[in-house]
Amino acid sequence: LISNASDAVDKLRFEEITNHNLLKSDKENSVTIRMDKENSVLFLEDNGIGMSKEDLMNNLGTIASSGTKKFLEKLSEQDKKDSNLIGQFGVGFYSAFMVAKKIIVESRSAHGDSAYKWTSSGDGSYTIENSSKETRGTLIEIHLKDEEKEFIEDWRIRGIVKKYSDYVTYPIFLLE
């Protein structure tokens, strides 16, 4: 999920070069992780390109569909060489259901579209509804299964981030 968030920020940087009408953010490009230990909910948020309703349906509504791969296909050969986008395979997001009983994704596209909320329990179905998210980017809310509560502990999160996301070029903030 951190790789996906990093890719979203990279996509925004590419688009900012040619499109100056994108929704602005008041904070630096980053990924923020916070936790609600009492309710066993993990939050991961980026202020990247965000997703429209169609993006949510196409990228999250289909297993192994990669928005990053589709984005790379549109880039010129030189731009492909200059990018280091990570999430090209489309299965990373769905791995979260190994520890989650429910995932909610709220996203607002930097193109100024309305915000939307995608919700699924990992049973092959999902819902999409309007959201009140005011800032661009994506917020993922992971409701952990009872037997997976170790993933709400800061020592566990720090270990995972260090092991699998140490290469991410944007700051990753862990808030409690």
Side-chain angles (χ1 to χ4, degrees):
L1 296 177
I2 293 171
S3 296
N4 292 347
S6 174
D7 284 354
V9 176
D10 278 339
K11 289 176 192 177
L12 176 75
R13 285 183 44 231
F14 271 98
E15 285 217 27
E16 284 177 325
I17 294 169
T18 57
N19 185 350
H20 302 291
N21 296 321
L22 296 174
L23 193 60
K24 301 297 180 203
S25 176
D26 60 351
K27 62 181 184 175
E28 71 176 307
N29 292 336
S30 61
V31 178
T32 302
I33 302 169
R34 57 188 171 83
M35 53 214 127
D36 174 353
K37 290 185 178 184
E38 187 176 312
N39 294 303
S40 298
V41 180
L42 188 62
F43 300 91
L44 191 135
E45 185 169 20
D46 68 67
N47 60 345
I49 195 73
M51 290 182 277
S52 66
K53 183 177 185 178
E54 292 74 26
D55 292 333
L56 287 167
M57 288 188 297
N58 294 333
N59 297 334
L60 302 184
T62 306
I63 294 176
S65 175
S66 171
T68 298
K69 184 176 181 181
K70 292 172 189 165
F71 180 79
L72 275 174
E73 289 169 356
K74 293 179 185 177
L75 293 179
S76 69
E77 287 305 314
Q78 183 58 46
D79 286 341
K80 286 179 187 176
K81 291 176 189 171
D82 292 341
S83 72
N84 63 355
L85 297 172
I86 305 157
Q88 300 177 43
F89 306 107
V91 294
F93 174 78
Y94 281 91
S95 66
F97 281 108
M98 293 171 62
V99 298
K101 59 185 171 188
K102 177 171 84 171
I103 297 177
I104 299 170
V105 178
E106 288 191 77
S107 196
R108 182 180 183 123
S109 170
H111 297 284
D113 298 329
S114 299
Y116 297 95
K117 182 191 306 188
W118 178 98
T119 305
S120 179
S121 297
D123 59 1
S125 66
Y126 63 89
T127 60
I128 295 181
E129 59 189 307
N130 290 332
S131 166
S132 59
K133 183 172 178 25
E134 294 183 9
T135 57
R136 72 156 196 250
T138 301
L139 171 65
I140 301 173
E141 187 176 316
I142 303 165
H143 295 256
L144 295 170
K145 296 176 183 175
D146 291 338
E147 63 274 16
E148 304 295 349
K149 293 190 189 252
E150 74 177 84
F151 290 100
I152 201 76
E153 299 299 329
D154 63 341
W155 63 268
R156 185 71 162 115
I157 295 167
R158 288 177 195 279
I160 291 170
V161 170
K162 178 81 172 142
K163 185 173 183 176
Y164 298 106
S165 300
D166 205 30
Y167 58 86
V168 171
T169 57
Y170 302 104
I172 301 171
F173 299 108
L174 178 60
L175 309 176
E176 292 187 53

